[in-house]
């Protein structure tokens, strides 16, 4: 591979200054098929990329092989720490994991035990995803993880059970939207709490050359807010449209004859929605987010202005 055609491994394959480019990037790394690869395959991808960086990749290595290895690496390893992420916490597991949990939450919402169980499962899953995809420069203790997990789970259950009690006499369709309200509320609790160290201590910010220039709480606020919006958007189409579809389908006699298949059908519909919405929601905001110096914490504003730095960059997390 000639020097002129060398791939910049630190840059995405597609431009990240527009939604389409970001969508293509996240479509690649959130592809649920990435999770079907063996651990050996991921390890080999990392080895190949490390060799490529040093310019001593195996003879005959093609550009396509390097791009494929980069796709596998980015779907499996954390962008900050370079550590391998647990399978369930990876964004490539959002479709299979999310479709099962979301479909079941929307099917089993009528009784208290059903609500409690599926909200607990959902928040356990969310807590693991939020922890796995946090800004790894900010560490969090086991105690803080436990408090965040318990708070988000309790919050989701309170919202779900409270709304369930309020809509008992409302039209059936309204009751179907209770799981979405609980999910939205829980995301606004779970994500900030799971990433509370970022809010307390700030996250690392960098200049345009990638050099660390300090830690900013304001950058953490922006990143966490964007992730909350993305996560709610990710769930919204499926959890808002599928109840309408199911309500219509359930008016047909043939649907009444296959009630045991209602849950699998909702799971399938959720899977179709998440296949497109996971990369779309992740692409709403740039992964390498930016903030003008004037919006940074006061102690950084003067310091960076004196150095002629007008904008800083940071990993917002996913």
């Amino acid at each position: 591979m000639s020097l002129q055609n060398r791939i910049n491994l630190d840059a995405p394959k597609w431009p990240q200054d527009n939604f389409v480019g970001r969508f293509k990037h996240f479509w690649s790394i959130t592809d649920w098929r990435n999770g079907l690869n063996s651990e050996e395959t991921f390890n080999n991808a990392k080895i190949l990329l490390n060799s490529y960086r040093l310019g001593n990749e195996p003879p005959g290595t093609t550009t396509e092989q390097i791009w494929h290895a980069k796709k596998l690496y980015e779907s499996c390893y954390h962008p900050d720490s370079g550590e391998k992420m647990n399978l369930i916490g990876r964004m490539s597991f959002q479709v299979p994991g999310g479709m099962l949990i979301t479909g079941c939450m929307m099917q089993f919402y009528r009784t208290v035990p059903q609500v409690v169980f599926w909200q607990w499962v959902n928040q356990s899953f969310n807590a693991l995803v939020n922890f796995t995809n946090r800004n790894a420069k900010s560490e969090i203790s086991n105690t803080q993880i436990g408090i965040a997990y318990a708070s988000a789970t309790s919050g989701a259950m309170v919202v779900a059970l409270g709304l369930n009690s309020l809509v008992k006499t409302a039209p059936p369709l309204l009751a179907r939207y209770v799981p979405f309200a609980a999910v939205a509320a829980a995301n606004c609790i779970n994500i900030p709490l799971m990433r509370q160290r970022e809010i307390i201590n700030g996250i690392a910010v960098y200049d345009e050359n990638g050099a660390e220039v300090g830690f900013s709480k304001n950058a953490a606020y922006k990143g966490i807010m964007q992730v909350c919006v993305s996560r709610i958007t990710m769930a919204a189409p499926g959890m808002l449209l599928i109840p309408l579809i199911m309500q219509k389908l359930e008016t047909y006699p043939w649907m009444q004859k296959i009630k045991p298949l209602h849950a699998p059908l909702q799971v399938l519909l959720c899977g179709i929605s998440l296949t497109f919405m996971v990369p779309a929601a992740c692409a709403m905001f740039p992964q390498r987010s930016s903030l003008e110096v004037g919006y940074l914490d006061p102690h950084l504003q003067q310091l960076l202005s004196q150095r002629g730095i007008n904008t800083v960059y940071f990993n917002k997390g996913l």
Side-chain angles (χ1 to χ4, degrees), residues 119-120 123-124 127 142-158 186 189-190 193-194 196:
Q119 288 297 334
W120 169 72
Q123 289 313 310
S124 298
N142 291 334
T143 300
Q144 290 166 329
I145 292 173
I147 293 173
Y149 169 69
S151 300
T153 304
S154 301
M157 290 180 183
V158 167
I189 299 171
N190 194 321
L193 284 175
M194 192 59 68
Q196 60 185 283

Side-chain angles (χ1 to χ4, degrees), residues 1-8 52-57:
M1 197 176 297
S2 66
L3 292 177
Q4 291 81 1
N5 295 326
R6 301 292 290 185
I7 295 171
N8 180 4
Y52 185 81
R53 283 186 183 277
L54 300 174
N56 59 4
E57 68 275 7

Side-chain angles (χ1 to χ4, degrees), residues 40-194:
E40 181 181 5
T41 300
F42 288 116
N43 292 337
N44 288 338
K46 182 178 181 179
I47 292 171
L48 177 58
L49 293 182
N50 288 339
S51 299
Y52 185 81
R53 283 186 183 277
L54 300 174
N56 59 4
E57 68 275 7
T61 300
T62 65
T63 300
E64 290 72 22
Q65 288 174 322
I66 297 300
W67 281 124
H68 183 66
K70 190 172 187 295
K71 167 187 174 179
L72 293 179
Y73 177 86
E74 291 179 340
S75 73
C76 180
Y77 293 88
H78 196 282
D80 286 336
S81 65
E83 296 179 355
K84 184 180 290 184
M85 298 182 286
N86 65 82
L87 175 62
I88 297 177
R90 298 172 194 169
M91 294 307 291
S92 59
F93 195 78
Q94 277 289 300
V95 172
M99 65 185 282
L100 174 63
I101 297 172
T102 304
C104 289
M105 278 195 300
M106 293 166 61
Q107 179 65 27
F108 306 112
Y109 62 90
R110 293 179 176 85
T111 68
V112 170
Q114 289 175 343
V115 170
V116 169
F117 177 76
W118 285 108
Q119 288 297 334
W120 169 72
V121 171
N122 185 52
Q123 289 313 310
S124 298
F125 178 62
N126 284 346
L128 183 56
V129 172
N130 293 337
F131 174 76
T132 302
N133 293 280
R134 73 199 186 283
N135 184 305
K137 294 290 185 179
S138 300
E139 293 300 325
I140 183 171
S141 68
N142 291 334
T143 300
Q144 290 166 329
I145 292 173
I147 293 173
Y149 169 69
S151 300
T153 304
S154 301
M157 290 180 183
V158 167
V159 171
L161 293 173
L163 290 178
N164 263 355
S165 65
L166 292 176
V167 300
K168 283 182 178 179
T169 58
L173 179 61
L174 192 59
R176 288 181 181 270
Y177 287 131
V178 168
F180 174 70
V183 166
N187 270 318
C188 294
I189 299 171
N190 194 321
I191 295 171
L193 284 175
M194 192 59 68

Side-chain angles (χ1 to χ4, degrees), residues 283-309:
M284 289 180 65
F285 307 102
Q287 178 71 35
R288 185 175 183 251
S289 192
S290 62
L291 194 63
E292 293 183 8
V293 168
Y295 293 100
L296 286 175
D297 314 49
H299 75 280
L300 281 177
Q301 290 185 22
Q302 183 176 2
L303 174 65
L304 298 183
S305 295
Q306 292 174 348
R307 295 173 55 181
I309 298 175

Side-chain angles (χ1 to χ4, degrees), residues 138 195-205 214-225 291 295-300 314:
S138 300
R195 297 175 59 176
Q196 60 185 283
R197 295 297 295 177
E198 300 175 34
I199 298 174
I200 296 172
N201 298 327
I203 57 176
V205 293
F215 283 77
S216 168
K217 295 180 182 179
N218 289 355
Y221 298 148
K222 180 178 180 179
I224 291 172
M225 179 190 69
L291 194 63
Y295 293 100
L296 286 175
D297 314 49
H299 75 280
L300 281 177
F314 57 94

